[in-house]
Amino acid sequence: MPVFEITKQATFDAAHHFPNEPEGSIYRRVHGHSFTVEATVRSEVLDVEHGWVADLGALDRALKAAAETLDHGMLNEHEGLELPSLEHLCLWFAKTLKPEWPGLCRIQVARPTINERCVLSL
């Protein structure tokens, strides 16, 4: 049986710091990044009326709204991001999107300018 996955991507810029790192650590200082986030929804069944897994436009709007919540802000100020690692960002996006997107199966958060990313498989 075929399995379909659809993916949308959004971007945001945000600052953060890691308060548990030792004094003098570059990670302890406030600094910022440009991020990309991808959300993937999976289904074995296509919507009969439309012939798709889900409305890509709706997924795009939901993902961009979540990213907008973090954009140009301090990540540490958001619940669940007190330690704002890529891993915790993946969990934050999953928690934010999963209630409306039960087929959500993957979140990827990346910092492309420094070639880092994390993938959460759900």
Side-chain angles (χ1 to χ4, degrees):
M1 171 167 263
V3 177
F4 301 94
E5 293 183 352
I6 60 170
T7 302
K8 288 302 288 188
Q9 183 182 76
T11 61
F12 64 99
D13 299 298
H16 67 168
H17 66 98
F18 290 90
N20 296 345
E21 293 300 311
E23 283 293 333
S25 167
I26 62 169
Y27 301 113
R28 189 175 175 113
R29 294 191 309 234
V30 174
H31 60 284
H33 298 282
S34 293
F35 294 88
T36 62
V37 57
E38 292 184 1
T40 300
V41 175
R42 169 184 279 198
S43 180
E44 294 178 0
V45 179
L46 298 180
D47 176 276
V48 175
E49 182 180 348
H50 302 286
W52 60 32
V53 169
D55 182 346
L56 279 164
L59 179 58
D60 187 54
R61 289 186 294 277
L63 184 59
K64 285 180 178 174
E68 178 67 26
T69 301
L70 303 178
D71 192 43
H72 285 82
M74 176 65 74
L75 296 177
N76 302 70
E77 296 173 356
H78 295 273
E79 185 178 338
L81 295 176
E82 295 83 5
L83 295 174
S85 63
L86 290 174
E87 293 83 353
H88 282 130
L89 280 163
C90 285
L91 291 168
W92 186 91
F93 277 101
K95 181 180 177 183
T96 301
L97 295 172
K98 190 71 169 171
E100 295 294 320
W101 297 92
L104 187 70
C105 67
R106 183 175 184 266
I107 295 288
Q108 176 180 286
V109 177
R111 296 186 286 237
T113 58
I114 56 176
N115 300 310
E116 296 177 342
R117 70 176 174 203
C118 179
V119 175
L120 171 64
S121 296
L122 301 167

